[in-house]
């Protein structure tokens, strides 16, 4: 990193003159402010000459009313690029856009993984990406009025105006905020909206015409469009796939999501930093501790040195995060076998130890699933008495045998291999280009694990392997999860032996209910069980985040769903989706 | 049977061990109570606890609920397990309508009951009971599997108290269809009251916007045999009696016909030149002589009092 003196010339001025407008120093290092029209050229140059091959995060920010911003640079689109070969920190690119008709060229030709994230920015901010092949709303529905993440969008159901009462019982009567702001009365409709003449726009993009003659050769077959979801047992929640079939073979697929879009990011902007912690539990609700950790790490980066957690807290965080990884992979493997047709029996075996871990979570945090355990600068509470002994027994005695058992039943099973090997092929190059992370990327043979590539917390102290399998198929992803559980056990064994006594929260952080981080933006990320979970936060110095963005791994891994599924049979689509391991709370937020 | 219902007739002794006397209600309720088939339908976090409630540790099967069916046609119990979004409530209502009676709804968790932590979100329905009749609410975020089992037992107790003669679904006038809400700019119901409210909100805003809008010269095509001026009304309906259109260079003036009204959002064309014709109902023919100079000109609309309403000038080719 170069020192931020004024005389240094702007980067890439030799190859791409005028592309970089300014350099901004920040917590994540320098970020480049680019001319929007030059963005794809700069990204291509950075990817090819510097090896930043993974487009991790794309997000929009609305700076309306932010200090120092005007209508000419109201919107900002932020890109975080990483290198899967070198590891290390991000390359941050920013493009600033005016209030009037904000648009910039799409990054899809350079990073195909920008697809879903750009659609999300368009949906929530109304920023257009010219050249994007399918720029439609993704979380909300076609016909929705306005772009809700904009700061000037009126929130229909937010009860701030009707809520602050001096007393819950003024004059002896209680009042409900709902009565003052009845459901459905505070809505904004476009001018002249008439419900009688309203036609709900069609959700689905008409699929392009293909030849009616399929793989069956001379036999003439019709193409049919089948809708799977949002109520479908295989979709792990409310996810919808619109598939076009030629016989049993899938010729096209369109994912449709947003059925669980519960406005996490908008709510996050009006909460204080600490109030968002329990909300992060509900992102990937299988692995709440990991979500807590990612958010705590991001905010601590913003808060600075005084909020660095003490030693014991770091160990507790690692222990919880790795237990969560086991919980998640057990559940993922169990439901994966549901999808394969082994209905519920493998899941019964898989969740038995999950229940034990959840009991330990409950005893430490008070809740089985929504733990809300981490705090800025540490964790909420120290362990209850006897917890470590219980955990040691589980980790040293029970889990290794359990994993052997699962492996004996599942991994070598002939039917499993027949169904899985070669299905859902995703090459390493494609996986990186499509911004895949986590087991999906490592199942394509790319040894990229943030615990190793950019170690956070105290992961640099532990001895573990980055698990990869070269098969590039569903079976490899399954094996990665099985093996990662062993590695998690290995980390846990080390952590449980080494954990020191001491405080569990930094001195300054104790009782800090409302933290006010300094002005700036930060991107903090961890290797969550499903992939790279990141939080992009913008602070304006107040107690609420200006922008609270979640980089959800399973949402972005869905970029690869279409490429993996097309050409397979319809029954395979179910297991390919199962092997991505999506959780809709995180996909739709 | 140890306990016979009250008022049961006496049974001869020799057939007592072969006969079981009870009421229709008892048989009916027992059958339904212990064969509640829930639908495989998870919404959010609570669905995970529902799955876990089905596994060995909690063992939902003990209560006659192990048959979890993906098809609404075969189910008795719709478990709303998680946050209901506006986008999702449409399929949920549709699923409910597809279920055969008797059917029950259990609202699981804070979100399905009242919106929960996401209540104030722009895409969140604050409680499924805004759309569906709910039988049992299970509190918690998420409720533990034990709490869910308790909710199911509460539902069973409720079912046991029902009677074939009074349940709504055997009445003659019963349809049970819930109107399916529509995803418009925001979600709205299709009941007459809802439609009225939506129309009022939408059209009132229109009236306000209309009052601010006005009549303007939108385009002026001065070339060719058929020259015409396009006048557009983005305001309220306008009676144009006594209004005039004037040209700046030639100082010509055209008076609109008496009683002519330009409706909101309507367009009017005033044609001139040798090829002038009036193809549409709103179109007017001014004169067969060319009016607009090719080197540049200005058009102005004056109202009945001679005030300038709108003007348009161009520089020519």
């Amino acid at each position: 990193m170069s020192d931020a003196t004024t005389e240094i010339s702007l980067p890439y001025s030799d190859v791409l003159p005028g592309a970089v407008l300014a350099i901004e120093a920040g917590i994540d290092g320098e970020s480049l402010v680019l001319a929007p029209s030059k963005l794809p050229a700069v990204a291509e140059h950075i990817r090819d000459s510097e090896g930043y091959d993974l487009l991790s995060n794309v997000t929009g920010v609305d700076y309306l009313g932010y200090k120092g911003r005007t209508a000419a640079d109201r919107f900002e689109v932020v890109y975080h690029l990483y290198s899967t070969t070198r590891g290390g920190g991000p390359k941050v690119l920013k493009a600033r856009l005016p209030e009037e008709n904000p648009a910039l060229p799409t990054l899809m030709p350079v990073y195909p993984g920008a697809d879903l994230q750009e659609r999300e920015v368009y949906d929530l901010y109304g920023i257009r990406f010219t050249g994007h092949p399918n720029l439609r709303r993704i979380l909300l529905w076609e016909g929705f009025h306005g772009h809700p993440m904009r700061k000037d969008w009126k929130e229909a159901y937010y009860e701030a105006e009707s809520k602050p009462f001096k007393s819950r019982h003024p004059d002896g009567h209680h009042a409900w905020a709902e009565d003052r702001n009845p459901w459905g009365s505070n809505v904004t409709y476009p001018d002249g909206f008439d419900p009688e003449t309203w036609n709900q726009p069609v959700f689905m993009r008409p699929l392009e015409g293909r030849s009616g003659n399929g793989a069956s050769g001379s036999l003439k077959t019709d193409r049919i469009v089948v809708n799977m979801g949002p109520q479908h047992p295989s979709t792990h929640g409310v996810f919808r796939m619109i598939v076009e079939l030629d016989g049993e073979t899938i010729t096209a697929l369109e994912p449709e999501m947003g059925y669980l879009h519960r406005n996490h990011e908008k709510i996050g902007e009006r909460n204080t930093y600490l109030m968002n912690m329990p909300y992060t539990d509900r992102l990937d609700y299988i692995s709440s501790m990991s979500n807590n950790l990612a958010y705590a790490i991001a905010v601590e980066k913003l808060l600075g040195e005084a909020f660095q957690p003490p030693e014991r807290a770091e160990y507790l965080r690692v222990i919880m995060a790795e237990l969560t990884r086991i919980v998640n992979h057990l559940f993922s493997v169990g439901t994966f076998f549901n999808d394969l047709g082994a209905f519920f029996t493998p899941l019964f075996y898989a969740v038995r130890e999950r229940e034990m871990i959840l009991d330990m979570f409950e005893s430490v945090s008070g809740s089985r699933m929504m733990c809300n355990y981490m705090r800025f600068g540490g964790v909420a509470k120290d362990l209850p008495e006897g917890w470590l002994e219980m955990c040691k027994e589980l980790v040293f005695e029970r889990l290794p045998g359990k994993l052997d058992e699962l492996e004996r039943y599942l991994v070598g099973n002939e039917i499993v291999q027949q169904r899985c090997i070669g299905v859902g092929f995703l090459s390493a190059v494609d996986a990186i280009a499509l911004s895949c992370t986590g087991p999906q990327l490592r199942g394509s043979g790319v040894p990229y694990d943030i615990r190793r590539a950019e170690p956070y917390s105290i992961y640099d102290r532990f001895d573990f392997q980055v698990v990869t399998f070269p098969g590039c198929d569903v079976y490899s992803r399954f094996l990665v999860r099985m093996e990662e559980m062993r590695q998690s056990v290995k980390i846990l064994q080390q952590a449980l032996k080494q954990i020191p006594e001491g405080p569990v929260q930094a001195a300054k952080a104790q009782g800090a209910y409302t933290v006010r981080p300094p002005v700036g933006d930060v991107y903090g990320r961890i290797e969550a069980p499903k992939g790279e979970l990141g939080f992009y936060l913008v602070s304006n110095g107040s107690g609420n985040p200006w922008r609270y963005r979640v980089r959800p791994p399973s949402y972005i891994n869905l970029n690869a769903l279409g490429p993996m599924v097309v050409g397979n049979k319809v029954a395979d689509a179910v297991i390919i989706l199962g092997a991505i391991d999506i959780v809709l709370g995180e996909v739709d937020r | 049977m140890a306990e016979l219902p009250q008022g049961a007739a006496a049974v001869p002794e020799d057939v007592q061990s072969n006969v079981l006397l009870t009421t229709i209600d008892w048989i009916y309720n027992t059958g339904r109570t212990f064969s509640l088939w829930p639908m495989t339908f998870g919404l959010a976090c609570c669905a995970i606890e529902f799955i876990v409630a089905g596994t060995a540790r909690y063992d939902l099967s003990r209560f006659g609920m192990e048959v979890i069916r993906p098809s609404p046609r075969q189910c008795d119990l719709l478990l709303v397990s998680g946050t209901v979004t506006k986008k999702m409530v449409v399929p949920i209502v549709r699923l409910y309508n597809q279920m055969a009676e008797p059917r029950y709804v259990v609202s699981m968790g804070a979100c399905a009951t009242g919106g929960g932590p996401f209540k104030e979100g722009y895409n969140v329905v604050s409680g499924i009971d805004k759309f569906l009749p709910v039988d049992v609410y299970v509190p918690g975020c998420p409720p533990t599997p034990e709490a869910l089992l308790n909710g199911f037992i509460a539902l069973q107790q409720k079912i046991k108290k029902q009677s074939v003669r009074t349940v709504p679904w055997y009445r003659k006038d019963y349809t049970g269809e819930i109107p399916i809400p529509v995803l418009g700019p925001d979600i709205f119901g299709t009941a007459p009251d809802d439609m009225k409210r939506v129309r009022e909100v939408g059209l009132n805003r229109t009236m306000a916007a209309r009052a601010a809008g006005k009549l303007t010269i939108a385009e002026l095509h001065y070339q060719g045999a058929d020259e015409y001026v396009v006048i557009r009304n983005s305001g309220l309906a306008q009676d144009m009696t006594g209004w005039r259109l004037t040209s700046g260079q030639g100082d010509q003036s055209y008076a609109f016909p008496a009683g002519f009204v330009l409706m909101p959002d309507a367009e009017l064309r005033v044609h001139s030149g040798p090829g002038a014709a009036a193809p549409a109902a709103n179109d007017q023919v001014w004169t067969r002589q060319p009016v607009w100079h090719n080197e540049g000109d200005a058009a102005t609309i004056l109202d009945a009092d001679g005030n300038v309403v709108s003007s348009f000038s161009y520089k020519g080719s």
Side-chain angles (χ1 to χ4, degrees):
Chain A
M1 207 188 297
S2 57
D3 54 343
T5 48
T6 45
E7 65 261 26
I8 53 162
S9 64
L10 294 168
Y12 315 124
S13 54
D14 45 345
V15 280
L16 296 160
V20 180
L21 303 176
I23 304 179
E24 281 186 350
I27 299 163
D28 287 325
E30 290 167 347
S31 53
L32 307 178
V33 181
L34 303 179
S37 60
K38 300 279 178 63
L39 181 79
V42 176
E44 192 169 359
H45 180 74
I46 290 174
R47 181 193 68 181
D48 294 340
S49 66
E50 298 179 26
Y52 284 98
D53 48 0
L54 183 74
L55 174 69
S56 169
N57 181 38
V58 181
T59 186
V61 188
D62 181 1
Y63 281 102
L64 176 73
Y66 193 87
K67 201 178 167 196
R69 292 299 190 106
T70 60
D73 56 359
R74 171 174 167 186
F75 293 107
E76 188 168 284
V77 181
V78 188
Y79 301 84
H80 288 83
L81 309 178
Y82 286 93
S83 167
T84 56
T85 46
R86 284 200 322 265
K91 192 91 175 172
V92 189
L93 308 181
K94 292 178 176 175
R96 288 180 183 157
L97 302 167
E99 185 169 319
E100 279 290 311
N101 195 15
L104 76 168
T106 175
L107 265 192
M108 273 189 71
V110 189
Y111 296 104
D115 183 3
L116 293 181
Q117 300 198 75
E118 285 186 346
R119 277 179 69 184
E120 188 193 326
V121 173
Y122 164 70
D123 187 358
L124 301 181
Y125 283 96
I127 296 171
R128 299 195 69 83
F129 292 85
T130 50
H132 191 291
N134 188 18
L135 196 65
R136 295 183 305 126
R137 285 186 184 271
I138 186 160
L139 296 177
L140 294 156
W141 60 90
E142 290 295 324
F144 186 83
H145 183 49
H147 299 284
M149 284 300 285
R150 290 190 176 193
K151 293 280 183 187
D152 52 0
W153 190 80
K154 182 168 168 52
E155 281 188 84
Y157 305 101
Y158 183 35
E159 290 163 349
E161 294 143 20
S162 54
K163 215 167 201 182
F165 325 118
K166 282 198 177 109
S167 160
R168 279 263 168 207
H169 303 276
D171 311 321
H173 305 287
H174 73 264
W176 294 95
E178 290 85 343
D179 296 338
R180 302 184 188 187
N181 183 11
W183 202 79
S185 70
N186 197 10
V187 196
T188 318
Y189 291 107
D191 285 344
F193 175 71
D194 185 356
E196 305 285 357
T197 57
W198 169 255
N199 282 320
Q200 203 168 336
V202 180
F203 280 113
M204 201 184 96
R205 176 181 55 153
L207 296 155
E208 287 121 40
R210 281 162 208 259
S211 159
N213 289 327
S216 40
S218 59
L219 188 67
K220 178 127 173 54
T221 53
D222 279 338
R223 286 175 292 114
I224 53 168
V225 174
V226 174
N227 178 50
M228 297 171 78
Q231 187 258 333
H232 191 279
S234 75
T235 55
H236 295 246
V238 281
F239 182 70
R240 180 175 170 205
M241 291 189 280
I242 304 159
V243 291
E244 186 199 58
L245 301 177
D246 183 354
E248 281 273 298
T249 309
I250 293 174
T251 53
L253 178 138
E254 176 84 14
E256 174 76 37
M257 48 200 106
Y259 292 100
L260 194 57
H261 177 51
R262 41 191 184 182
N263 330 120
H264 195 96
E265 293 180 0
K266 188 78 177 177
I267 292 173
E269 283 180 6
R270 63 174 104 99
N271 284 350
T272 64
Y273 284 89
L274 187 59
M275 279 161 78
N276 280 330
M277 187 62 85
Y279 280 87
T280 63
D281 290 335
R282 287 151 184 85
L283 277 172
D284 171 1
Y285 36 74
I286 313 268
S287 39
S288 66
M289 288 281 198
S290 293
N291 306 339
N292 286 179
L293 177 60
Y295 180 56
I297 280 180
V299 177
E300 280 159 13
K301 267 173 108 174
L302 205 53
L303 285 167
E305 278 299 311
F307 280 80
Q308 286 311 304
E311 195 78 338
R312 185 173 170 84
E314 293 277 29
Y315 274 94
L316 286 176
R317 285 178 171 196
V318 168
I319 289 169
M320 298 305 168
E322 292 308 315
L323 284 174
T324 302
R325 196 181 310 277
I326 295 172
V327 162
N328 179 79
H329 286 352
L330 282 175
F331 206 80
S332 162
V333 166
T335 49
F336 175 66
F337 278 86
N338 265 7
D339 297 342
L340 271 173
F343 196 67
F344 253 80
T345 310
L347 187 69
F348 274 30
Y349 281 87
V351 300
R352 206 172 53 196
E353 270 67 18
R354 174 182 184 265
E355 281 296 321
M356 294 177 182
I357 299 177
L358 291 195
D359 282 352
M360 310 218 348
F361 283 169
E362 188 171 7
S363 75
V364 74
S365 73
S367 176
R368 280 159 52 84
M369 278 172 68
M370 306 302 170
C371 299
N372 184 20
Y373 181 56
M374 315 266 170
R375 292 289 179 274
F376 312 133
V379 297
K381 277 194 181 71
D382 205 344
L383 300 173
E385 211 175 312
W387 195 93
L388 270 180
E389 286 65 40
M390 260 168 63
C391 190
K392 274 180 184 158
E393 194 189 328
L394 184 71
V395 167
F396 286 92
E397 310 293 331
R398 179 122 193 174
L399 282 176
K402 170 72 181 183
L403 296 176
D404 290 341
E405 181 196 62
L406 274 183
E407 190 166 320
R408 205 165 57 242
Y409 292 156
L410 304 178
V411 172
N413 186 305
E414 203 176 318
I415 303 171
V416 173
Q417 292 184 349
Q418 289 275 335
R419 281 293 307 275
C420 294
I421 292 178
V423 170
F425 183 81
L426 183 70
S427 70
V429 175
D430 286 348
I432 296 170
L434 290 166
S435 301
C436 297
T437 47
Q440 188 163 335
L441 183 63
R442 293 192 286 274
S444 292
V446 181
Y448 184 69
D449 186 320
I450 300 166
R451 292 175 291 175
R452 188 56 58 73
E454 194 194 2
Y456 52 91
S457 191
I458 50 167
Y459 274 104
D460 46 357
R461 301 182 193 176
F462 299 115
D463 171 34
F464 67 99
Q465 279 178 353
V466 175
V467 182
T468 61
F469 280 88
C472 305
D473 54 8
V474 164
Y475 192 61
S476 285
R477 284 162 221 149
F478 161 60
L479 291 180
V480 166
R481 294 203 172 89
M482 295 296 290
E483 190 55 35
E484 269 187 10
M485 285 192 271
R486 290 188 191 282
Q487 297 302 324
S488 290
V489 169
K490 201 171 161 189
I491 295 174
L492 281 168
Q493 289 176 343
Q494 296 168 56
L496 286 168
K497 276 182 192 156
Q498 296 170 11
I499 183 169
E501 289 296 319
V504 293
Q505 205 173 10
K508 201 183 167 187
Q510 280 167 13
Y513 293 114
T514 306
V515 292
R516 290 189 171 76
V519 178
D521 61 333
V522 75
Y523 181 66
R525 57 174 197 157
I526 67 159
E527 183 71 34
K530 293 184 168 61
E532 175 184 337
L533 174 66
F535 282 84
Y536 177 70
L537 302 167
V538 178
S539 166
N540 64 341
S542 75
N544 313 57
W546 183 267
R547 174 78 171 106
Y548 167 83
R549 146 83 176 168
V550 187
R551 188 244 185 237
S554 42
Y555 174 69
I556 294 163
N557 286 351
L558 279 174
N559 274 320
L561 180 66
M564 284 194 295
V565 163
V566 170
N568 284 294
K569 302 282 188 239
V570 68
D572 294 337
V574 172
I575 59 169
I576 293 169
L577 183 70
I580 298 178
D581 189 15
I582 58 168
V583 157
L584 266 297
E586 184 178 78
V587 172
D588 295 341
R589 279 152 294 145
Chain B
M1 269 314 295
E3 45 185 276
L4 280 176
Q6 264 193 344
V11 181
E13 203 169 325
D14 51 333
V15 291
Q16 257 184 16
S17 57
N18 301 324
V19 171
L20 224 155
L21 281 185
T22 183
T23 57
I24 295 283
D25 275 349
W26 190 89
I27 286 281
Y28 181 74
N29 287 343
T30 309
R32 285 183 303 141
T33 305
F34 297 108
S35 63
L36 273 177
W37 290 9
M39 181 153 49
T40 318
F41 177 53
L43 280 175
C45 333
C46 293
I48 305 298
E49 291 292 51
F50 173 50
I51 294 172
V52 171
T55 60
R57 185 178 182 188
Y58 301 100
D59 198 8
L60 196 58
S61 322
R62 288 178 291 166
F63 305 96
M65 294 184 187
E66 79 276 25
V67 192
I68 299 170
R69 290 284 154 177
S71 164
R73 299 287 187 204
Q74 304 173 341
C75 296
D76 311 296
L77 176 60
L78 174 62
L79 180 70
V80 185
S81 54
T83 315
V84 183
T85 62
K86 290 177 188 168
K87 202 170 173 177
M88 195 59 213
V89 76
V90 181
I92 293 178
V93 172
R94 206 168 269 147
L95 285 171
Y96 178 80
N97 284 343
Q98 287 171 7
M99 287 167 72
E101 289 97 1
R103 57 190 169 189
Y104 303 96
V105 179
V106 171
S107 156
M108 179 183 185
C111 290
T113 302
F118 302 97
K119 176 170 177 250
E120 293 174 341
Y122 51 82
N123 191 29
V124 175
V125 173
S126 50
I128 187 63
D129 54 6
K130 292 206 157 54
F131 291 91
L132 297 183
V134 176
D135 292 284
V136 172
Y137 298 89
V138 182
C141 189
T144 56
E146 293 95 333
L148 181 64
L149 292 183
N150 187 37
F152 283 152
I153 292 168
L155 177 65
Q156 290 181 330
Q157 285 166 349
K158 180 172 176 172
I159 293 172
K160 277 183 186 165
K161 289 193 180 116
Q162 289 184 327
S163 166
V164 156
R165 284 165 298 181
T166 54
V167 287
W169 47 85
Y170 294 123
R171 289 184 198 151
K172 268 189 184 151
D173 53 348
Y174 178 76
T175 62
E177 284 274 309
I178 305 276
I180 293 169
V182 179
L183 288 176
D186 195 277
I187 198 164
F188 59 85
T190 48
D193 281 0
D194 292 328
M195 295 292 263
K196 184 162 167 265
R197 178 181 55 77
V198 172
R199 202 179 305 114
E200 272 168 10
V201 174
L203 292 182
N204 281 345
R205 290 176 50 80
T206 313
M207 293 303 280
R210 288 268 164 243
K214 59 178 201 170
L215 195 136
T216 50
I217 300 176
E219 297 161 36
L220 206 165
H221 298 262
Y222 54 87
Q223 281 166 330
D226 180 17
E227 311 169 335
Y228 58 95
V229 183
V230 179
I231 298 164
R232 196 168 289 149
N233 187 7
S234 60
L236 303 168
Q238 183 63 53
D239 181 358
M240 298 182 75
T241 308
W243 286 43
R244 285 173 301 138
L245 173 69
T246 62
S247 82
Q249 289 274 335
D251 202 19
Q252 290 142 304
S253 168
Y254 168 71
F256 290 93
F260 179 81
V261 178
L262 190 59
M263 297 305 286
D265 271 338
E267 263 184 16
L268 156 72
R269 291 178 183 199
V270 181
H271 296 264
S272 56
N282 261 356
D283 287 14
Q284 307 287 329
V285 176
W286 179 347
T287 167
R288 297 277 174 198
Q289 300 299 317
V291 172
W292 307 110
H293 290 252
N294 282 2
E295 309 82 56
D297 208 334
T300 310
I301 299 181
L302 305 169
D303 67 10
D305 301 329
N307 301 319
V308 175
V309 176
S310 171
S311 58
F312 187 95
S313 62
Y314 61 95
K315 281 255 163 62
S317 50

